[in-house]
Amino acid sequence: MTSIVLSQSQRKEPLIETRLKVVTWNIWWRYGQWQERQPLIIDTLKRLDPDIVCLQEVWQDEEGAQADILADALGFSAAYFDSGPRSGVGFGNAILSRWPIEETATTQYTPAPSDKAGSPDGGRGALFAKIAGPRGVIPVFSTHLSWKLAESGYRQTQVRELCSFIKQHTIEDYPPIVGGDFNAESNSAEIRMMTGEDIPAADGLSFHDCWRFAAPGALGITWDNCNPVVANTLEPDRRIDYVLVGEPFSGGKGHVCSVELIGNEAQDGLYPSDHFGVAAELRY
């Protein structure tokens, strides 16, 4: 896997103009008014018309799987990883894709105290999908790190485990894409390890934070007290959900073109989730 510097003086081929739209979104499992929220999630994704969707807090039980329901509504393929059930109902990550998913793999993280097996908050982990896109294979990862404000040390361990997992599944066609709820702000050690601004989580692996590249002047808050559910937690506004992409390849593959918040509009006072999501457009 070889990355390149896209300076004007060094670039020898034109930039790719075609785009890939990637979404990440924590859709809040079966918490709150989950049945009423489901059509709002579907409507939001349909309006966005993404190519790839990374989801966290996805449910599955004996009667159905949320990943399949959403994929069917979009006409997509789906992969799901149950990282630790809650009250007998699956809780995990999913990846939805416009194109076929050729291969999947999963990893379970070292648990933080809030994520011990058998606890109300179960486990955490990452899901990999190798997606057979029309202009080359795309490696995509959906991740969810431990949630408590005071668990940065555990999240740093989980980031190291995530990056080790990513290195096992990199490909030559396209830089790795990571979508997830990191439960960590952009200046945290966890995110700085991902972006190469701190000791890297894995040698030779660093990512561009799409929000910082495409909308550096905007806050991009994804945990926002304008949502009554968030306000009830008495926690501060934070940007904790990310689309990250490895350094661009030849022709600008993976270069960040645009970014926006999603799911940040309420319908009759109800938001689709407690988190807002992030949608990014990349050169592909």
Side-chain angles (χ1 to χ4, degrees):
M1 182 178 70
T2 304
S3 62
I4 62 168
V5 178
L6 291 177
S7 68
Q8 188 66 42
S9 61
Q10 294 176 328
R11 190 186 309 124
K12 294 183 179 180
E13 67 276 296
L15 287 174
I16 294 166
E17 292 303 328
T18 47
R19 302 287 194 268
L20 165 72
K21 184 180 285 188
V22 180
V23 164
T24 190
W25 200 3
N26 179 323
I27 52 175
W28 204 31
W29 195 62
R30 284 186 167 181
Y31 298 115
Q33 296 171 263
W34 65 274
Q35 292 168 309
E36 290 82 0
R37 293 190 296 102
Q38 179 100 324
L40 303 184
I41 294 169
I42 291 172
D43 287 348
T44 300
L45 292 175
K46 282 185 172 181
R47 286 198 306 271
L48 281 167
D49 192 28
D51 299 303
I52 296 169
V53 183
C54 298
L55 299 172
Q56 303 82 45
E57 295 199 25
V58 182
W59 58 260
Q60 181 168 299
D61 63 16
E62 294 179 352
E63 297 182 358
Q66 189 177 28
D68 291 338
I69 294 169
L70 298 178
D72 288 347
L74 297 171
F76 280 15
S77 301
Y80 173 75
F81 167 49
D82 191 341
S83 59
R86 274 70 169 159
S87 304
V89 177
F91 176 104
N93 304 337
I95 295 173
L96 314 181
S97 171
R98 180 183 301 279
W99 305 299
I101 296 174
E102 290 188 331
E103 177 186 329
T104 64
T106 65
T107 190
Q108 195 87 28
Y109 296 146
T110 297
S114 61
D115 298 323
K116 295 293 185 185
S119 76
D121 205 32
R124 308 279 167 163
L127 168 67
F128 160 71
K130 180 180 177 182
I131 294 174
R135 296 181 294 279
V137 175
I138 309 162
V140 180
F141 302 81
S142 179
T143 187
H144 191 192
L145 304 191
S146 293
W147 67 278
K148 285 194 174 181
L149 287 170
E151 291 180 340
S152 173
Y154 291 96
R155 285 191 291 273
Q156 290 174 53
T157 296
Q158 292 168 353
V159 163
R160 294 185 190 97
E161 293 167 344
L162 168 62
C163 287
S164 175
F165 180 61
I166 291 170
K167 290 196 76 170
Q168 297 172 36
H169 299 286
T170 54
I171 61 170
E172 295 293 333
D173 291 37
Y174 203 81
I177 299 169
V178 182
D181 173 9
F182 281 75
N183 281 305
E185 296 188 77
S186 60
N187 63 352
S188 67
E190 301 93 290
I191 300 302
R192 291 171 64 85
M193 290 164 65
M194 294 291 296
T195 58
E197 297 168 285
D198 206 325
I199 298 173
D203 290 343
L205 190 63
S206 65
F207 292 85
H208 291 177
D209 171 359
C210 289
W211 199 270
R212 288 185 62 188
F213 272 73
L219 294 177
I221 300 299
T222 60
W223 184 255
D224 195 320
N225 276 270
C226 71
N227 187 333
V229 172
V230 174
N232 285 339
T233 69
L234 305 181
E235 293 182 0
D237 291 349
R238 309 195 296 285
R239 180 164 76 91
I240 58 176
D241 300 85
Y242 299 84
V243 176
L244 307 172
V245 60
E247 295 182 9
F249 283 10
S250 176
K253 292 180 182 179
H255 173 243
V256 184
C257 299
S258 68
V259 68
E260 63 178 316
L261 289 178
I262 68 164
N264 56 342
E265 296 181 1
Q267 183 172 311
D268 297 325
L270 181 65
Y271 286 88
S273 176
D274 56 342
H275 288 241
F276 299 155
V278 180
E281 284 192 325
L282 311 174
R283 295 188 190 272
Y284 170 61

